[in-house]
């Protein structure tokens, strides 16, 4: 089966709609009809399910995707401690944060030609603990080069919300490709493998890694059914695959530590998928800013793009909030 | 005990804050301290509780007020069918509404010098049934004279949300006095007796009678903790009483029909009260309008002043919504 | 702008996924990008929003669609009482059901060459009241001819769940076309206009009209994230329009009565739409039947295809349940 | 199989615990082990399930019982309009209540030697509508004789909460026997057949028929895990059956009307049952009264024995409240 | 008062029904009637309440039992660090788990004639922290001998779910005796004392210790009111006591550490008890397996026997799931 | 602007009502009308908002106050490690609690003339972690002197519930003054600055510091709408300010460690405020004790004054419970 051949236009084609159940196939017929896991999948593909939540989560919070791939993802050698170091993490993977009452701000940080998107991550703040699925971590990145040709990464600890402050990230994922430009954000949920190139050179930005639940759009209350970030402005990759039988290294962040596993095929071999658990991107310029049109200012929660709810209604684990130019 | 003597300024003094637990006394010491129903209330007053909800409603929805009055409210003769007719109601009190798919609008309606606030009410629309506490009724009023000197009214069927479109209403209630001017609204909850004068002459407007639950401020979602109608801009009367031993008529709307009862004392004899169930008013000019400051329009729910929730989360029995001048 | 020209294959193309936010345009560029209601819509179209729920419904229950059409839907003459009679309804539109404790069953009913899908509806059972949005009605239909060429219908009272027992229904809707064959069901939500032809001749079946809320997939509990009717097996029309400037009649069921309005253009002029409120169909043969694989039988709720929840958790207004051949 | 032979002591033996899952068999082995509906039930019995709620109600509200009986309950002739009249009901079964604002009280009502428990019922008040499962009805009864030897009754409309004010009721039910003495209450849920004798002569009392949901113990809030009516003081019959092949009449209240069906066997042939939907009784003398031990009086809700919750949290369809002697 | 004398058959008699309110007495009259804590309990017993939840938990989650015993349970000397070591725990009782991304499996582990059920426990995995009531721990046990004659154990940290993989456990508890055979599970909730013998010799298996909440049956969703593990197949001990005035040692697991306290009487002196907090067992062979009877496989959550819910609806702290032979 | 000049009587004037939205101004006109943050506040004051919860908390849990002050609170130098040591805390601010199964009780502890309210605090127990907002800490205090003249304290970690066991505390807060006498309690929520004097000499008592949420009144269940601690018996300070331009030290407890910041003005310069987040006090003698008036004792939860709810309904992070003299 030949790999996906894109025209330039097709390469960055997207499906629209955050939370929607999408289906996409790079080869016609890759997706079974009226069934999820037939004994024989078309083209000899393997059916796998990737779960973003408990199977028993309520429908509107349940996140699952069926993937149809060339080689089962479990086909790899054992994970070993990685050679890559995650700046800011101690060897046991459990940072001890020091809380201080003073407000801090970071100087502009440099990009570094020696590091890629992953090795250039630097932990700057956090709370909670990835191993018991509470809290989050905050990183800066300042990458100066592409990730190695045959290396992929995923975090088993949390979702990566990436804020591309400078430069462009070309992110190849198991689900397809995302081009994330300056002023855009991307979310790569827990467990999804990807590889990042820098088509326009050095890139820097922020990452919020969420250990607890997933990002979602905030409830809008009296704002009604549209406004702030709109559902249809979130973009999801179309299926794209490579049939690559060469040696790859998969690096995982697991419990705050990095591990590497070798495998004799590429991870980006998903020919089709359907479901509602996937990576996505959003152009912050599309934010529909709401504000006071009479007097006073609403609270900054009105600029919330994405929120990660806690079990306490109305209190988030994290809110991703922007201050748009046309807002007050 | 001499009746409340107001300076002009005091007469229209208010307590601020919708939903707050207020306490107010027209005579010092009328309210018992650290207790609600002592065997002997100061000044020989009688303690009564007026319930707006089931006793077992959750705290944040529980509405109750303790009143300390000169004569127990139960001291009246039996109710008889009233001489007043409620325009638009059949004799059994159960209107049969005719639903039509065409949009209707009312011509400006006239005020009438022969009718007061109550006899000038005219049912124009509705849904549900007051006797099983569902739905609402909508009235117009066009009053040309004060209510009779010794007559008070209450609805046992629902809360009256009064929109003063033209003219001023001077509303004497068991809880004190409200002056409702053009551009203001007032809410007189179910079971509270009042009498309306027209200090500036003829007055017209709208009434929404809510049979199910009570009005409350809408949840604000991402707007945060301020905005739209603010809690502190709702105004509640201070206690004011008359020690009136003359003959009065109390008219009640009960199951869609009007009844009268005679009593040998005035109903406005509450010397002090404390609680969170009371009438209130709001100046629509204080509405903090929120809207789009970038593109598109939010839904009109963003102009909600008060809402009456149904058991279905996010779906109201009725929303009272305005289109403020400075909104879009 | 020329109307949609389909190949045969395209005519019955569908979008997959119940509850997903879909977007579709019959003419490229009909949908605005990054905005819903621009001052000038492409091709001179008019933006309209069709609401299936309160604006303030929680996100996962909120149903709204933006439509971009040639003529605003409000452009019609006043509604008049329709010439069509709805069998089983009295003239006031409020059936008085007689409850009997005996089990009833219907003999096979005949189709009738004189009636179309709407005029062939016959009310056979029901509960509640459409005018206060409670309960449902059940009809049989036995149509022998197409609806008139220039006539469209919608129910303002409830969603129509149509069970095609015999024959095929070709349903042209504002959102596009649905071909509903024997063994399939379709749901046309409240307020959506459509016209039914019978491409294979006489057709009979059942209709459940739901006055309260909307159908949704049941929560699955321990069954997990797949099973019973799967999200992706529900099919939604792609946008298709006619630019028809001739005279049409729109018939509405409103409060249990039928009304007609004349207009000088066709209603099927929606060139593009996006949202999550739309008609859909489902092939019952795709039902993923779950049952006991050891002993005893589960309750028949395990065969639920769609459910309409009431405010009491776990108790439905109506469940649509099938007894599939391969079930027990 | 010989019928249950009781010693006097055994006849009024009870299982303790409201809401508990009980199992009881009058003949050893009547209940299947590790299974509910085996192909062959012991002793040739038929397995039937009686449902008090939707199958899909949450576990803690789900009410169902498996019954194992000699003849299937469906074996009867068609229901006909009954010869018995239900005092206070019009012929269409839908009372039109007249609401009046005056407080009413009943004179002591007489018992009547010509009527039994059912024919002696007289509707005195109510709200809502049994046919849409809302509200309740209130009756008095003043029975002077036993029900006919071969007659049983059930209400398909609601649960009967019977307050035995004077005299004793010996109630034979499908689930076993309840002896309800003066000062006790009994609840016979919807759909359960029974027959009432008066072992001590004339009897009078009250009945609350609940159309909506079922009675349950109130949540206790800060009172903690014991107090008011305690779970274990509610008593449930043990299985007891008659193998009676003679002619019986079953009378049902259905939609406010009475119907009779003839059958050639007795309805009290349930040899064993297990589940949590059953009749029960409670001795009001066991009520654990809670009150103020410092100052003021709590609201009368503190004397709630049983409550029937509505969809609005904290607001009941009906509360059954007593004023115990040792309360304040 | 002589101790309970069982026939062999009676020794392993059980009450049926998980979650039911049970009452049982080994000596007639041990339980007070219509009261819980009389000043004088029959037979000179002491009334004690054992709480499984906060007093204010909602009724359907509230777990409490009243016990009537010979000597108050508080009559013991101070706890000292125990001589028994809990394999896998550090001296401060707080294991530091090391998370690795590789899948692990245990070789068959040996039983050891030198250890009993408690000293043979070995911690193999875990998450969370018993001292703040989050998470769980997983142990294997491989016991070769009975616990010492006069020694009892309880965990103050969590509920023990014991999976008897090989051999039989005869568990004497404060509530009575449980015989747990191969293929059965038992749950001993937090705070209940017990002693384990091995009537058939060496025994091995697994223990899940749950620090957070308690196990319960999963909600069944569309499966309805029966299926998976049925309520009535869970078995609860009948009261059984020993009047033992000799010296005993009570060992407690508290905050991850073991402590011993000496006392001059046996802990198994509960003559009667009533409530809904108790140990229980379940025969996995009675599991009512549900699965696909058409195509595809449901998620493994369909094999859930017991679940321990977290505050996030649909996400468990732990699910106990089996793969039954007759399942897929 | 001259500082607040109180008569003795006015100094300890209070606003009544816990949870109410209060407004108070020490100088007439300090509060803006119909607006919260005008560009120019009267008297040149600065508007600040103090948030007790997320902006998006539901209305009935949302705690926010607008303060109008002379100098913005942010005007201070950087925080440095404080010279004051918090007894019982290690230098990293994270106590390692040792759990023991024995019951402990404290001997009467001494007051110490060398320490004030803050330096006299001694940590005696706790659970959870302030830095992730879980759990609580318990302190004793035994203060012998006033806090330094120009020093104020606040906890950024939690609310202080202060139980004044002996002696009187005169607490000057940003919101006004509270005089807390023996037998009273006070709550100073997180983030509010205060200074404590001892007008009657040495004082000792207890402090519960709550890291998670805030204290609230318990739901009352069937007790109804009054009882236990009543809303109106909680007392809130009236605004009182000092216009102090001298040097002050602000000490904060942050992440379990103390820090000091210098500033050139006093913190008690709030001239007016409105909102529902504030300190308050309560006289335990006003507790309306409820108990059994028949037999048995309710659980001690019936003596709950204040509760701090956890995400698990009915289970508190902490309950503050008293055993009143007139209770049982």
């Amino acid at each position: 089966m030949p790999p996906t051949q894109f025209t330039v236009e097709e390469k960055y084609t997207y499906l629209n709609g955050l939370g929607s159940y999408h289906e996409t196939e790079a080869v016609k017929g890759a997706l079974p009809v009226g069934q999820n896991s037939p004994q024989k999948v078309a083209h000899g593909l393997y059916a796998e399910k990737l779960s973003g939540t408990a199977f028993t989560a309520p429908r509107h919070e349940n996140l699952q995707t069926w993937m149809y791939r060339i080689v089962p993802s479990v086909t790899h050698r054992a994970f070993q401690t990685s050679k890559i170091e995650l700046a800011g993490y101690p060897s046991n993977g459990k940072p001890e944060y020091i809380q201080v009452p003073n407000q801090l701000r970071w100087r502009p940080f440099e990009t570094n030609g020696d590091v890629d998107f992953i090795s250039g991550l630097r932990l700057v703040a956090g709370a909670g603990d990835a191993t018991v699925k509470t809290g989050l971590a905050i990183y800066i990145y300042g990458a100066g080069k592409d990730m190695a040709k045959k290396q992929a990464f995923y975090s088993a600890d949390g979702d990566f919300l990436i804020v591309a402050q400078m430069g462009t990230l070309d992110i190849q994922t198991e689900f397809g490709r995302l081009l994330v430009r300056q002023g855009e954000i991307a979310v790569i949920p827990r467990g999804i493998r990807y590889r990042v190139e820098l088509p326009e050179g050095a890139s820097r930005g922020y990452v919020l890694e969420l250990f607890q639940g997933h990002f979602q759009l905030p409830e809008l209350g009296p704002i009604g059914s549209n406004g702030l970030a709109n559902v249809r402005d979130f973009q999801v990759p179309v299926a794209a695959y490579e049939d690559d039988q060469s040696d790859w290294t998969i690096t995982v962040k697991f419990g705050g530590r990095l591990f590497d596993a070798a495998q004799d095929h590429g991870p980006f071999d998903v020919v089709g998928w359907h479901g509602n658990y996937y990576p996505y991107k959003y152009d912050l310029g599309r934010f529909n800013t709401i504000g006071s049109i009479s007097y006073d200012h609403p609270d900054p929660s009105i600029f919330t793009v994405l929120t990660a709810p806690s079990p306490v209604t109305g209190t988030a684990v994290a809110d991703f909030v922007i201050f748009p130019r046309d807002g007050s």
Side-chain angles (χ1 to χ4, degrees), chain A residues 122-264:
Chain A
R122 173 177 299 273
L123 178 71
V124 293
D129 179 351
T131 68
V132 290
K133 296 267 170 280
T134 62
L136 53 83
I138 293 173
Y139 309 84
I140 53 175
Y141 68 86
K145 62 174 186 184
D146 295 347
M147 283 175 63
K149 277 290 170 208
K150 301 289 181 178
Q151 188 190 20
F153 172 79
Y154 71 99
S155 174
D157 289 345
D159 290 13
F160 266 45
L161 186 160
I162 301 165
V163 183
Q165 185 194 9
M166 189 196 81
T168 293
L169 305 175
D170 186 357
I171 308 179
Q172 182 179 18
T173 80
E174 292 178 276
F175 291 71
R177 302 184 81 104
L178 288 168
L179 190 75
V180 184
R181 293 162 303 189
Q182 194 167 310
E184 296 187 332
I185 61 169
V187 172
I188 316 286
R190 190 164 53 217
I192 295 176
R193 290 177 288 178
Y194 58 103
R195 192 180 154 271
V196 181
E197 294 194 355
L198 311 175
E200 299 174 0
S203 175
R204 71 178 182 217
Y206 300 89
V207 174
L208 191 165
E209 186 181 16
L210 177 70
F211 305 144
Q212 181 173 4
H214 297 284
F215 289 102
Q216 60 182 54
L217 288 166
E219 289 295 322
L220 292 183
I223 295 174
S225 57
N226 288 104
L228 309 189
N230 283 316
V231 168
R232 68 186 274 250
D233 290 329
F234 287 79
Q235 296 185 302
V236 177
V238 295
Y241 73 100
E242 294 170 351
D243 190 351
D244 178 342
Q245 307 293 334
S246 62
D247 289 342
W248 278 71
T249 300
I250 309 296
T251 301
V252 60
K253 174 168 181 286
F254 192 97
R257 297 187 296 158
L258 297 187
F259 297 84
D260 291 341
Q263 61 181 42
D264 59 4

Side-chain angles (χ1 to χ4, degrees), chain A residues 5 15 23 30 33 44 51 66 111 123 142 148 163 180 192 194 205 225 232 261 274 309:
Chain A
Q5 297 295 345
L15 303 162
E23 53 182 31
V33 175
S51 295
W66 284 94
T111 60
L123 178 71
V163 183
V180 184
I192 295 176
Y194 58 103
S225 57
R232 68 186 274 250
H274 61 84

Side-chain angles (χ1 to χ4, degrees), chain A residues 92-106:
Chain A
N92 71 353
K94 313 214 170 178
E96 300 216 357
Y97 299 108
I98 299 168
Q99 285 80 19
V100 289
N102 296 309
Q103 294 189 4
L104 302 177
R105 76 168 45 182
W106 289 275

Side-chain angles (χ1 to χ4, degrees), chain A residues 37-53:
Chain A
S37 53
Q39 303 246 344
K40 290 203 170 191
V41 180
H43 306 295
L45 298 172
Y46 293 87
E48 288 185 353
K49 185 183 238 186
L50 182 67
S51 295
T53 60

